[in-house]
Amino acid sequence: MQSKSTDDAVVGMKPSLMPGDVIANLRRKRLIGRCMIAGVALVLLALFTRVMSEPLRHDEHIALANGWLYGRFALYRQISYAHLPNLPILLSLALHATGGAYKFLVARLITFICWCAFLYAFSSVVWRISKDTQTTALAVLLIVTNSLFVEYEAMLIAVHLFPICFASFGFLFFIVATENGRARPIFVFLAGLFLSIAVGFKANYLVVVPPFAIAAFFVPQSLSLAQRIWRVVVPLALGGVIGGLPTLYYFLNHTDAFLFDVLGYFLGPQRAYWSAPENAATVTGLNLTSRVLNGYRLWTAGSTLLIIVMIIYCCAEMVMSSNYAEIKRRLASWPLLVSLAAAILGITVAFVIAPSFPQYFMPPIPFAVLLLVCLLAGRSDEQRRRSRPLLATMTIATAILGGPTLFQDLPNIVKPSAWEGFGVHKIAMQIRGEFGPRREKIRIATLSPIYALESGLDLYPELASGGFYYRIGDLLSPAQRTAFGITSPKTVGELLEREPPDGILVGYEGVLDKPLVRFAVAHNYRRVEKLIGHDRYGAGVLFIKPGE
């Protein structure tokens, strides 16, 4: 009681009447708080400019086109999409709510908003586990400087970041729902909802579901099994079912096309396409050995390596303590077990699909960081005190390793002309300008659908996925191409013969563009003299229908 009264008295005192050490402590806390606010603002600005400045990539064509055309054409059956349906649904809502102007820029802004939401949820999870500012700062830094997150994968209008964001909210809600030995069904429901929504973006994030489904039967331990079933298991399952309704709808109503797009495509024609001699040299991971080596290379670089080192350190520290009762208590923590299980499952699923691409190795990283946080949080006060210098060193090392990549585009914050959204829009307006003042619907054939959509032109649903399904079309039977709304290099000419386009845009997809060029030349399409913009894949060439 006396200590509390003394503290209250100190808080109520004027600074001039406080003891010198108390004043110094308050000033130090204020300085640390201001530095953290400045650091958060700087990181967010750096992420914003990274998202805005990252060059357009192939994945974004299929994502944005499916988002804009969602509702106009049947997803999977008329427009092909290689993942579960949540991203097209989200983009459709956002693009139509903003009127459809500057579609690419708006979609990239959605990606940045996702980044902000993800960092909020992730840092909240870390804080609730650790109750430590230094650990929280280190955990967030391990994410925002990780090469797989800040090089380009998580900067795109694609499925790479969105499921991680929603899974982090699922983790947060489950912690809130079960902390202090109680069960709060509404938050359990939200946990199930957000975990299911995460899976609905990308199927390989199904790995987040089993750990929480199992945990629901064991936490909180203060409740009986029957209470846990009704207050935890049932709300979690109900939230999962509701969050999975979009996926369930397409599975039930477009079963064959749905299963082909999200499963058969990866296990069959895509693997066959990349295994062809002319393509095999451009990818890695066509066999399990090369996938393992690729994973080893990606997971033992930069801040990911520091995560592994810190986990090993914490495990060694725990074992060397020789206090087996304490070790058992720490390992029985459900956040630790869930993080460990999700990380292991994420590592496993990374090697399923061939060939391997960097984004396949992203899922386990956030859970590996949370595993580290759980290990750090379970230490004794003495262990925490002794490891402060090590944590500070790791924080500095993390910033040194990943900072240059994170901050590389920061100068572009004052140069909107360098933002990719405006660059894409400029190219699109060039394309639109070549058709003059015509106002009726203009359709162009292209494997780069973003430029058509950004310019307000129409396109073929068979080409809305860009080169992804077009390039494997010749590996399918005619019946499959018809059923799944797919054309191919050998059959695209027949499509264009039936419905001649007003223009043909090529130049960004290399050899895949050749059939379109042949059609344009054979039908006397006029080639526009000047090139239509440049992106990282090439320069655009526009052909216009005779008489236009």
Side-chain angles (χ1 to χ4, degrees), residues 57-60 62 82-83 146-149 151-156 158-161 163-164 202 204-205 266 270 274 284 294-295 297-299 346-347 349-351 353 355-366 468 471:
R57 290 183 181 260
H58 289 304
D59 289 14
E60 300 184 284
I62 187 173
H83 299 290
N146 189 284
S147 59
L148 286 173
F149 281 77
E151 290 244 343
Y152 72 86
E153 289 87 354
M155 302 296 146
L156 306 181
V159 291
H160 311 324
L161 182 67
I164 296 174
K202 203 167 191 290
N204 60 348
Y205 283 86
F266 292 100
Q270 176 180 249
W274 288 115
T284 58
N294 194 31
R297 178 180 61 83
L298 291 170
W299 286 332
I347 291 171
V349 79
F351 302 113
I353 303 298
S356 63
F357 296 98
Q359 59 266 26
Y360 295 172
F361 298 92
M362 291 174 64
I365 291 176
F468 282 86
R471 70 192 181 197

Side-chain angles (χ1 to χ4, degrees), residues 248-275:
L248 185 62
Y249 169 81
Y250 285 104
F251 173 73
L252 294 176
N253 288 277
H254 306 292
T255 306
D256 290 343
F258 174 85
L259 290 176
F260 172 78
D261 277 10
V262 303
L263 186 62
Y265 168 80
F266 292 100
L267 299 179
Q270 176 180 249
R271 183 172 297 188
Y273 172 82
W274 288 115
S275 298

Side-chain angles (χ1 to χ4, degrees), residues 215-339:
F217 285 93
F218 296 95
V219 294
Q221 293 185 350
S222 59
L223 303 181
S224 67
L225 178 60
Q227 289 176 318
R228 285 197 295 269
I229 289 175
W230 284 109
R231 297 177 62 83
V232 182
V233 176
V234 172
L236 186 73
L238 182 61
V241 170
I242 293 177
L245 284 179
T247 298
L248 185 62
Y249 169 81
Y250 285 104
F251 173 73
L252 294 176
N253 288 277
H254 306 292
T255 306
D256 290 343
F258 174 85
L259 290 176
F260 172 78
D261 277 10
V262 303
L263 186 62
Y265 168 80
F266 292 100
L267 299 179
Q270 176 180 249
R271 183 172 297 188
Y273 172 82
W274 288 115
S275 298
E278 64 271 21
N279 301 320
T282 64
V283 292
T284 58
L286 286 172
N287 57 61
L288 181 59
T289 301
S290 61
R291 292 200 292 279
V292 171
L293 290 174
N294 194 31
Y296 176 82
R297 178 180 61 83
L298 291 170
W299 286 332
T300 57
S303 60
T304 310
L305 179 60
L306 295 182
I307 298 170
I308 297 172
V309 170
M310 286 295 294
I311 289 175
I312 294 173
Y313 167 81
C314 289
C315 291
E317 181 185 57
M318 183 168 53
V319 171
M320 291 174 66
S321 69
S322 299
N323 187 341
Y324 296 108
E326 180 66 14
I327 293 174
K328 183 178 179 180
R329 182 193 66 80
R330 289 174 64 179
L331 293 180
S333 163
W334 77 258
L336 184 149
L337 294 174
V338 165
S339 300

Side-chain angles (χ1 to χ4, degrees), residues 34-46:
R34 289 169 182 169
C35 289
M36 289 190 67
I37 292 172
V40 169
L42 190 61
V43 166
L44 291 179
L45 284 176

Side-chain angles (χ1 to χ4, degrees), residues 31 77 135 266 337 479-480:
L31 179 61
R77 196 176 62 199
T135 302
F266 292 100
L337 294 174
Q480 287 177 310

Side-chain angles (χ1 to χ4, degrees), residues 10 49 68 76 116 132 214 237 315 372 374-375 481 485 545 548:
V10 169
T49 52
W68 179 250
Y76 302 115
C116 295
D132 181 70
I214 295 173
C315 291
L372 171 60
C374 292
L375 291 170
R481 287 195 294 267
K545 186 179 180 180
E548 296 291 334

Side-chain angles (χ1 to χ4, degrees), residues 471-516:
R471 70 192 181 197
I472 59 94
D474 289 324
L475 300 174
L476 307 178
S477 68
Q480 287 177 310
R481 287 195 294 267
T482 301
F484 305 147
I486 296 173
T487 188
S488 71
K490 291 181 180 178
T491 63
V492 70
E494 300 172 10
L495 171 66
L496 302 184
E497 288 281 2
R498 291 194 306 270
E499 305 174 53
D502 298 291
I504 297 175
L505 177 67
V506 295
Y508 302 111
E509 293 292 337
V511 296
L512 295 178
D513 278 330
K514 287 185 177 180
L516 298 179

